[in-house]
Amino acid sequence: GPLSEQRLMDVRLGHLPMWLAICDFSPQGLLGGVQKAWSSYYNKYINVKRGGPAGISMLLAGYCLLSYGWNYQHISKISFLVSM
Amino acid sequence: MNLSFFDQFASPCLMGIPLILISTLFPSLLIPSRNNRWLTNRLSTLQSWFINLITKQLMIPLNKNGHKWALILTSLMTFLLLINLLGLLPYTFTPTTQLSMNMALAIPLWLATLLTGLRNQPSASLGHLLPEGTPTPLIPALILIETTSLLIRPLALGVRLTANLTAGHLLIQLIATATSTLLPIMPTISILTILILLLLTILEVAVAMIQAYVFVLLLSLYLQENI
């Protein structure tokens, strides 16, 4: 289909800058993008017939990594760990 | 060195976006919204069972009018439970360690129960200030005491949650620091400290769940008196 309707994984590498230019960066557009990303993750890993702890664990691990990134500046300055 | 242990409770900010915003909104991702299927996925089934259990437990002592509070009490319980438990993961931020957030939850809800009682049944609500069977000379003192205890309830609710969670996190950080500092010096003592840390973490998981439950239970008790 047309470039604006393709998802990120289907866009060819050469067309990537153009896709980024066409992309909708308004608040509604971003919110819609987040919604789409979340629902694809949810339907692929959590909303399955015989799900296990894996789907949620990946989400929680991602949350831990995000928190680490958010805290990095503060963590890097802890005095007794700086030398290590 | 002493004050740096409290730095974990400062709300970190990256590019102007505070982490507390993400930490408060993240639990909503873990609760899938209901879809129209008869047999949902395992996560939704577990959560439906759990929410039914909580709602039943909370609503049994309340009369019909009190059942209007089912939604807010159950959602408060789920919110606090998830936030407390998520705070035990490494590097995460727990919004309920901030007194401001807990008071923002406690004061309006307590005030709502109080005003409901004063509006619908004013004499019965005021009657709670004097327990039955008190000797007559004691009445003025007892009314003052009961009023104080009534007014201190929101403060107690907020501070209880804050203090329990903050103390737990602080203890975990202190013992973990001790463990990592002792490891090159005395490995056997370090192993002992690791055991203490394991037990403490189990305790903290229990405390996280119990504190959420106590908060909501007390609110429902205050509601029972007033509705």
Side-chain angles (χ1 to χ4, degrees), chain B residues 24-44:
Chain B
T24 319
L25 294 175
F26 185 70
S28 62
L29 282 183
L30 299 172
I31 311 173
S33 50
R34 296 169 57 86
N35 50 9
N36 289 330
R37 296 203 173 163
W38 183 46
L39 288 175
T40 47
N41 56 8
R42 286 179 174 180
L43 185 66
S44 297

Side-chain angles (χ1 to χ4, degrees), chain A residues 34 38 42-43 45-53 55-75 78-81 84, chain B residues 1 4-5 7-8 10 12-15 17-19 22-24 26 28-30 32-33 35 37 40-44 86 89-93 173 177 180-181:
Chain A
V34 170
W38 167 247
Y42 180 67
N43 288 329
Y45 291 108
I46 302 181
N47 197 9
V48 290
K49 209 188 281 188
R50 297 190 49 177
I56 297 274
S57 308
M58 279 200 288
L59 193 62
L60 292 178
Y63 177 55
C64 287
L65 280 174
L66 183 74
S67 306
Y68 179 72
W70 230 266
N71 275 336
Y72 181 69
Q73 273 186 336
H74 178 252
I75 293 177
I78 295 182
S79 54
F80 61 87
L81 283 177
M84 275 196 207
Chain B
M1 173 67 175
S4 71
F5 279 114
D7 287 345
Q8 59 173 315
C13 219
L14 189 69
M15 299 188 287
I17 305 176
L19 185 59
I22 304 184
S23 311
T24 319
F26 185 70
S28 62
L29 282 183
L30 299 172
S33 50
N35 50 9
R37 296 203 173 163
T40 47
N41 56 8
R42 286 179 174 180
L43 185 66
S44 297
L86 280 175
L89 292 172
Y91 299 118
T92 47
F93 179 73
Q173 193 177 10
T177 311
S180 60
T181 317

